[in-house]
């Protein structure tokens, strides 16, 4: 019971996040909001960019990660972009895979990621200086991974 009590808060938090995310996605999908957001976004974007939007978001994944938390990206941005590009015949799994690469690499400089705070704390470095130093290295690494992925798929 002591072990369960010690670890229950973390397990319950993760379970809660998954339940809330599933509920959020269900509400967005079933209410028509996801489709409406996607349609409105398509109206304001340049016509040439829309079928390649997943590549654009993947390319900008690292800078986007500085603005949005990982949860916001996965549960709000990705479903909208996936909805948009799937209307143009892009395979949903391909679109999500490309966007995830930029996002995952960007997590290493995300000020919303607890692991980054832990790392800079252990290294005794200021977060701002770390991001300033690492930003272009991390972005370049992400772009190389995207290029490899594009050529591989």
């Amino acid at each position: 019971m002591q072990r369960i009590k010690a670890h229950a808060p973390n397990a319950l938090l993760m379970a809660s996040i998954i339940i809330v995310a599933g509920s959020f996605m269900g509400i967005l999908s079933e209410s028509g909001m996801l489709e409406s957001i996607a349609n409105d976004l398509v109206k304001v974007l340049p016509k040439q960019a829309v079928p390649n939007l997943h590549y654009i978001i993947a390319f900008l994944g690292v800078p986007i990660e500085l603005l949005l938390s990982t949860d916001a990206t996965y549960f709000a941005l990705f479903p909208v972009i996936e909805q948009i590009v799937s209307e143009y015949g892009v395979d949903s799994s391909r679109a999500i895979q490309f966007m995830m690469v930029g996002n995952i690499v960007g997590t290493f400089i995300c000020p919303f990621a607890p692991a980054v705070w832990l790392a800079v704390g252990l290294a005794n470095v200021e977060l701002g200086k770390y991001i300033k130093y690492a930003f272009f290295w991390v972005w370049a690494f992400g772009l190389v991974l995207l290029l490899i992925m594009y050529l591989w798929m």
Side-chain angles (χ1 to χ4, degrees):
M1 286 306 290
Q2 295 266 343
R3 288 293 77 205
I4 291 173
K5 287 179 183 177
H7 297 289
N10 294 330
L12 291 174
L13 178 62
M14 184 54 66
S16 300
I17 289 172
I18 292 169
I19 290 170
V20 169
S23 300
F24 179 68
M25 289 309 305
I27 291 167
L28 278 179
S29 298
E30 297 301 318
S31 68
M33 283 192 285
L34 187 60
E35 188 174 332
S36 178
I37 292 169
N39 289 335
D40 289 343
L41 189 57
V42 168
K43 290 177 186 175
V44 299
L45 291 173
K47 297 277 187 240
Q48 304 88 341
V50 175
N52 298 307
L53 198 54
H54 59 297
Y55 294 128
I56 295 167
I57 297 298
F59 178 81
L60 297 173
V62 172
I64 287 172
E65 196 62 18
L66 287 174
L67 303 172
L68 299 175
S69 69
T70 303
D71 292 343
T73 305
Y74 279 109
F75 301 131
L77 180 64
F78 284 6
V80 172
I81 302 303
E82 184 274 328
Q83 180 78 26
I84 291 170
V85 298
S86 67
E87 299 274 329
Y88 288 85
V90 176
D91 181 43
S92 294
S93 63
R94 181 177 172 91
I96 295 297
Q97 288 168 353
F98 270 93
M99 292 187 292
M100 281 180 62
V101 168
N103 177 265
I104 288 171
V105 172
T107 301
F108 297 110
I109 60 163
C110 178
F112 306 111
V116 173
W117 284 98
L118 176 64
V120 298
L122 290 173
N124 201 22
V125 178
E126 291 180 29
L127 181 64
K129 287 182 180 179
Y130 164 71
I131 291 174
K132 189 175 180 180
Y133 170 79
F135 178 79
F136 289 106
W137 290 107
V138 170
W139 199 7
F141 179 67
L143 295 178
V144 168
L145 290 177
L146 287 170
L147 178 63
I148 291 169
M149 188 174 170
Y150 183 79
L151 295 173
W152 187 280
M153 294 178 84

